[in-house]
Amino acid sequence: MSRTQPNIIVTGTPGVGKTTHCEMLAERTGLRHVSVNHIVKDKECHEGWDDEFGCWIVDEDKLLDAMEDEAKAGGCIIDWHACDLFPESWIDLVVVLRVDSSTLYDRLSARKYPEAKLQENIDSEIMQVLLQEARDSYDEEMVVELQSNTSDEMDSNVDRIEQWVTQWRKDNAE
Ligand code: DAT
């Protein structure tokens, strides 16, 4: 069965602006903001807490099971710092948000990240880890890289994705 609403992944290093973008997009498009962090926690799709990295150790099979019905129904804006685990058939667009390292440093310091975690995330952003993961996992036409340093950039990103959703709906109307 084909979806009547698209599924979008908004991904990137922690602090790039995923949650902020997803909330604005959900408001503008009527699609649902699906926070994978919340699902991992609420539906216990994990094998415990990793003290060193300060995050859940995700059980990907459980997570995919927990998300399958919602993804198949369509209309999800999936908010997560990884994208390679989702089957390509679930996804219509992958947005990778990017940010300059000094801006990222300020945002993660404001979150009081421990130094090692902060540095690891900045290195990951500089090395484009998430962009590469997206390009390796999805058709290149599905992946868009957008800058997220300023509110102007955020506004223009949200406009652009909203336009994409409008077009998708036209193209997929019955
Ligand atoms: P993420 O969900 O990727 O961890 P977030 O949405 O929580 O990121 O944003 C982290 C902080 O940075 C938050 O205080 C909002 C701010 N921010 C995000 N994107 C921004 C942008 N493009 N311009 C200005 N501030 C931004």
Side-chain angles (χ1 to χ4, degrees), residues 12-21 79 107 111 147-151 153-154:
T13 310
V16 288
K18 297 182 291 297
T19 303
T20 319
H21 277 75
D79 170 358
R107 290 186 195 161
R111 279 188 184 169
Q147 297 300 318
S148 171
N149 297 288
T150 62
S151 354
E153 284 176 345
M154 181 148 60

Side-chain angles (χ1 to χ4, degrees), residues 28-162:
R28 294 261 285 266
T29 62
L31 301 180
R32 289 184 309 284
H33 175 196
V34 176
S35 162
V36 174
N37 259 331
H38 289 167
I39 298 175
V40 167
K41 207 161 66 175
D42 295 347
K43 302 203 172 157
E44 298 191 353
C45 306
H46 59 76
E47 295 157 352
W49 181 257
D50 184 325
D51 265 336
E52 189 186 352
F53 292 102
C55 61
W56 296 106
I57 303 162
V58 175
D59 179 333
E60 294 193 352
D61 289 337
K62 256 195 195 171
L63 176 63
L64 291 177
D65 282 350
M67 292 180 67
E68 184 169 7
D69 288 348
E70 204 171 5
K72 290 206 165 143
C76 301
I77 310 174
I78 300 172
D79 170 358
W80 210 33
H81 59 259
C83 63
D84 62 350
L85 72 162
F86 303 110
E88 194 170 357
S89 63
W90 284 14
I91 305 300
D92 301 293
L93 179 71
V94 182
V95 176
V96 184
L97 298 177
R98 302 300 312 281
V99 74
D100 295 340
S101 37
S102 60
T103 308
L104 186 60
Y105 184 92
D106 293 343
R107 290 186 195 161
L108 296 182
S109 303
R111 279 188 184 169
K112 309 223 175 328
Y113 268 32
E115 189 60 31
K117 191 174 171 186
L118 198 153
Q119 200 53 55
E120 185 193 286
N121 281 302
I122 289 173
D123 289 349
S124 161
E125 182 58 22
I126 292 170
M127 289 162 68
Q128 318 196 123
V129 171
L130 262 305
L131 181 63
Q132 200 51 50
E133 181 176 315
R135 287 183 172 154
D136 290 345
S137 313
Y138 297 92
D139 196 278
E140 74 178 299
E141 284 163 20
M142 292 168 64
V143 178
V144 276
E145 176 187 11
L146 297 175
Q147 297 300 318
S148 171
N149 297 288
T150 62
S151 354
D152 281 353
E153 284 176 345
M154 181 148 60
D155 288 343
S156 99
N157 295 341
V158 171
D159 284 348
R160 193 169 153 185
I161 301 166
E162 187 185 14

